[in-house]
Amino acid sequence: MLKIVSIMLSGILVGYIFRKYRLSVIPRIIAILICLLLFLLGVEVGCNPRIIHGIVSLGGEALLLTAGGVLGSSILAAMLWLLIRRRAAL
């Protein structure tokens, strides 16, 4: 954990030092590194037999959580919309 915090703090320090310079290449480098990180995460998942054998149950749980989140958000957004319209009509 200390290693991660140290790396983050060193990045903040380097960013603070170079704040006067326009570093337009940084967003492209970040996008490439994120893609590489996602690829390596996929390789790690693909190499783990426990995850591969449980992918169906994991996918089902993920689908259920996603549907519940979307449904709950939609219902609460509709309720909020009705509340706002009622108050605006008064």
Side-chain angles (χ1 to χ4, degrees):
M1 185 66 175
L2 185 61
K3 187 178 185 180
I4 294 170
V5 172
S6 303
I7 291 170
M8 186 186 313
L9 288 176
S10 65
I12 291 171
L13 179 65
V14 169
Y16 182 76
I17 292 170
F18 289 110
R19 70 184 182 277
K20 296 177 183 174
Y21 301 102
R22 182 165 171 85
L23 303 174
S24 60
V25 72
I26 297 296
R28 179 173 283 154
I29 292 172
I30 290 172
I32 291 170
L33 289 176
I34 289 173
C35 290
L36 179 65
L37 180 65
L38 289 171
F39 174 77
L40 292 175
L41 179 65
V43 170
E44 183 68 26
V45 167
C47 290
N48 191 334
R50 287 180 57 197
I51 294 176
I52 295 300
H53 292 300
I55 198 90
V56 173
S57 65
L58 287 173
E61 290 175 11
L63 183 62
L64 182 64
L65 286 171
T66 302
V70 168
L71 182 64
S73 296
S74 299
I75 290 171
L76 289 175
M79 290 170 58
L80 179 63
W81 181 254
L82 289 174
L83 180 68
I84 291 172
R85 289 186 67 195
R86 282 186 190 157
R87 289 203 177 167
L90 294 177

